């Protein structure tokens, strides 16, 4: 599931980066344009950082809705000159060596940078590092340029700014029969405050996470049955052993999928009763 990322530590902060970019255009053909928008651009980026990129609180910026104007910002990201101030910064962001996608938790090194607020609609944040983080291809394909629901609520969690990522966000529900479960459903934890609960629900739906992870949970469940057979064959206590598996996964993150899986098993008293006393666990 989603993980919290520390914002990258860079030599320039996002405001200093703007100042340098505008300075580099002193002798270029867009000199007057960048000088004229310089103060508002700074304000926009400061606002972004202050509200954690929340699109509910960041109106679109009128001057950049014209495509040619927006392109002046997008080109800073899409085709930076080799000696530009932003080029090494963007290269550094791409070098980050994560081993999972911060939006969905999928294992593997995400190979693309995502603009949390898409550059199509918010071109002024094209090179704002607070707006850029790695994301897997599947999440990027689902997220596209989406930001808000029809009701004007943001759709996605922000891994740099959403500090509630330290809490457990997701609960797994496993439906019987327990020799071959009929469903694995994911829901936001009922312990979350209502606004965060609703945001987590939107994030799950719009990245299609439940469907994408059903195979993982089915595999994990078969593995669990094999483990329980071994535990019982050694006369060990099933409940405390599963608690141990869950706690081992906590080292990674309370929102790692394996933690969510074992947590879902331990919340399910009917399933635990099945695992503890069912005489013939299916041969798997
Ligand atoms: Zn992903």
């Amino acid at each position: 599931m989603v993980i919290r990322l520390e914002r990258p530590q860079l030599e320039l902060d996002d405001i200093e980066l703007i100042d340098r970019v505008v300075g580099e255009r002193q002798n270029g053909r867009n000199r007057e344009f960048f000088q004229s928008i310089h103060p508002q651009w700074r304000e926009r980026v400061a606002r972004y950082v202050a509200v954690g990129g929340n699109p509910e609180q960041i109106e679109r910026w009128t001057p950049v809705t014209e495509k040619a104007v927006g392109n002046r910002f997008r080109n800073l990201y899409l085709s930076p000159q080799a000696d530009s101030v932003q080029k090494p910064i963007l290269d550094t962001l791409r070098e980050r060596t994560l081993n999972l996608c911060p939006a969905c938790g999928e294992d593997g090194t995400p190979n693309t940078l995502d603009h949390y607020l898409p550059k199509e609609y918010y071109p002024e944040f094209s090179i704002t590092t607070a707006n850029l983080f790695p994301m897997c291809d599947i999440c990027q394909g689902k997220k596209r340029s989406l930001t808000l629901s029809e009701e004007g609520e943001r759709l996605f969690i922000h891994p740099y700014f959403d500090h509630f990522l330290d809490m457990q966000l997701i609960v797994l529900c496993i439906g019987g029969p327990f020799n071959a479960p009929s469903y694995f459903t994911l829901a936001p934890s009922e312990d979350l405050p209502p606004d965060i609960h609703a945001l987590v629900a939107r994030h799950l739906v719009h990245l299609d996470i439940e469907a994408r992870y059903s195979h993982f949970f089915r595999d994990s469940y078969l593995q669990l049955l094999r483990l329980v057979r071994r535990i019982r064959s050694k006369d060990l206590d099933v409940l405390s052993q599963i608690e141990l598996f869950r706690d081992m996964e906590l080292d990674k993150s309370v929102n790692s999928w394996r933690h969510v899986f074992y947590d879902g098993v331990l919340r399910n008293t009917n399933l635990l009763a099945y695992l503890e006393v069912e005489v013939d666990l299916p041969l798997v």
Side-chain angles (χ1 to χ4, degrees):
M1 185 43 196
V2 198
I3 58 159
R4 183 169 165 191
L5 289 183
E6 292 301 322
R7 283 178 62 192
Q9 298 294 313
L10 301 161
E11 284 181 29
L12 299 174
D13 68 28
D14 281 325
I15 303 288
E16 291 167 333
L17 177 59
I18 287 174
D19 294 343
R20 293 279 298 275
V21 167
V22 172
E24 283 185 346
R25 271 140 197 84
Q26 285 298 331
N27 302 313
R29 60 193 163 92
N30 288 324
R31 172 187 164 186
E32 284 189 20
F33 168 74
F34 277 102
Q35 280 189 339
S36 68
I37 53 84
H38 187 187
Q40 298 101 300
W41 193 15
R42 287 177 120 246
E43 281 173 25
R44 298 277 302 169
V45 170
R47 171 84 179 149
Y48 184 105
V49 173
V51 302
N54 186 344
E56 296 168 22
Q57 298 176 60
I58 305 179
E59 302 262 312
R60 288 179 64 187
W61 195 20
T62 313
V64 301
T65 50
E66 191 185 323
K67 192 173 177 192
V69 177
N71 283 345
R72 290 176 187 162
F73 292 95
R74 282 185 283 267
N75 287 338
L76 297 171
Y77 176 81
L78 294 170
S79 47
Q81 294 186 352
D83 58 352
S84 64
V85 63
Q86 75 272 27
K87 177 76 163 60
I89 290 176
L90 294 172
D91 289 346
T92 301
L93 292 178
R94 293 194 177 94
E95 276 169 13
R96 300 191 74 199
T97 50
L98 277 180
N99 56 11
L100 79 174
C101 169
C104 71
E106 181 158 298
D107 288 335
T109 302
N111 54 11
T112 46
L113 282 179
D114 182 64
H115 288 81
Y116 180 76
L117 295 186
K119 58 186 180 303
E120 286 85 342
Y121 302 129
Y122 296 90
E124 72 275 26
F125 303 128
S126 290
I127 56 166
T128 300
T129 61
N131 191 43
L132 288 163
F133 51 85
M135 187 182 269
C136 77
D137 293 341
I138 299 175
C139 284
Q140 276 218 319
K142 304 275 182 196
K143 179 173 174 278
R144 296 172 285 133
S145 299
L146 300 173
T147 53
L148 294 169
S149 68
E150 288 182 3
E151 291 74 32
E153 301 160 315
R154 69 172 167 134
L155 296 177
F156 302 108
I157 294 167
H158 198 313
Y160 291 151
F161 293 101
D162 284 327
H163 295 181
F164 58 77
L165 290 172
D166 296 333
M167 297 190 279
Q168 181 169 345
L169 302 182
I170 309 279
V171 171
L172 173 69
C173 186
I174 303 169
F178 294 122
N179 59 349
S182 51
Y183 60 82
F184 295 87
T185 55
L186 294 172
S189 167
E190 294 301 325
D191 297 334
L192 296 171
D195 57 332
I196 297 175
H197 185 280
L199 171 61
V200 171
R202 292 191 293 275
H203 186 97
L204 282 175
V205 167
H206 287 276
L207 295 182
D208 198 21
I209 285 179
E210 185 177 281
R212 289 166 57 194
Y213 275 86
S214 64
H215 196 70
F216 168 82
F217 289 124
R218 288 197 182 279
D219 283 352
S220 298
Y221 192 83
L222 293 177
Q223 185 186 36
L224 173 76
L225 295 184
R226 286 194 292 269
L227 283 168
V228 168
R229 288 180 72 84
R230 291 196 185 112
I231 292 166
R232 286 181 28 190
S233 72
K234 295 176 193 295
D235 280 334
L236 295 169
D237 181 59
V238 170
L239 177 63
S240 59
Q241 291 295 311
I242 296 175
E243 284 174 342
L244 195 63
F245 296 147
R246 177 197 60 189
D247 294 347
M248 282 166 58
E249 301 301 334
L250 255 184
D251 290 345
K252 192 171 177 188
S253 157
V254 69
N255 289 308
S256 74
W257 286 119
R258 288 207 174 274
H259 183 268
V260 170
F261 174 74
Y262 287 119
D263 172 78
V265 172
L266 288 164
R267 284 170 188 263
N268 193 325
T269 49
N270 291 334
L271 171 56
L272 287 176
Y274 170 83
L275 297 174
E276 282 178 326
V277 304
E278 188 74 14
V279 178
D280 293 314
L281 283 168
L283 286 165
V284 290

